[in-house]
């Protein structure tokens, strides 16, 4: 498991942009796949974007074309650029490992998109 600290959330109008950041404290960051998850009120946490150690990315259909995940292995940071935000993107966003299923979570960062 990896300890992480997420930041960058906030309140934004629909159509706006935000950039989330995640600092990870693990010596193996550079070799493990990482992902961004989100949990909306009353819903289960879902994986919305993932990136391999080599930089290959994969997105949930709900964010494809609007969100971009990236990583800096030297700095052990993960980022999520979110453009064209929609009210349905409102959620707490978390970064974490992808496999095995995470057992320990950071505090997350709240993203609120107003219509």
């Amino acid at each position: 498991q990896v300890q992480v600290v997420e930041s960058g959330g906030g309140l934004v109008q629909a159509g706006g942009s935000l950039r989330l950041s995640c600092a990870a404290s693990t010596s193996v960051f550079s070799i493990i796949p990482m992902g961004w998850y989100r949990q909306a009120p009353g819903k289960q946490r879902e994986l919305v974007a993932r990136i391999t150690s080599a930089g290959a990315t994969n997105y949930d259909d709900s964010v494809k074309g609007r969100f971009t995940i990236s990583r800096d292995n030297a700095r052990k940071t993960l980022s999520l650029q979110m453009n064209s935000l929609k009210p349905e993107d409102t959620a707490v966003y978390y970064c974490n490992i992808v496999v095995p299923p995470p057992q320990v979570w950071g505090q997350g960062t709240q993203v609120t998109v107003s219509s």
Side-chain angles (χ1 to χ4, degrees):
Q1 303 295 317
V2 176
Q3 289 188 323
V4 297
V5 177
E6 302 95 342
S7 62
L11 174 64
V12 63
Q13 289 187 332
S17 298
L18 281 174
R19 186 176 180 85
L20 306 184
S21 296
C22 168
S25 58
T26 173
S27 60
V28 299
F29 179 85
S30 64
I31 63 172
I32 57 174
M34 293 290 294
W36 281 98
Y37 300 74
R38 68 184 181 189
Q39 187 168 22
K43 296 188 177 181
Q44 289 190 331
R45 190 175 288 155
E46 61 177 349
L47 178 64
V48 297
R50 59 186 293 171
I51 185 168
T52 68
S53 58
T57 59
N58 185 266
Y59 300 92
D60 185 82
D61 286 345
S62 63
V63 306
K64 195 172 295 182
R66 301 187 297 121
F67 290 12
T68 302
I69 187 172
S70 60
R71 66 190 297 161
D72 184 331
N73 287 334
R75 298 185 177 184
K76 300 181 184 178
T77 58
L78 188 72
S79 298
L80 186 68
Q81 178 66 43
M82 305 187 296
N83 298 328
S84 302
L85 283 162
K86 305 176 181 179
E88 51 264 45
D89 295 319
T90 295
V92 179
Y93 284 72
Y94 304 85
C95 72
N96 216 323
I97 60 175
V98 177
V99 288
Q103 302 296 314
V104 178
W105 295 88
Q107 83 286 352
T109 186
Q110 175 71 48
V111 172
T112 303
V113 185
S114 63
S115 57

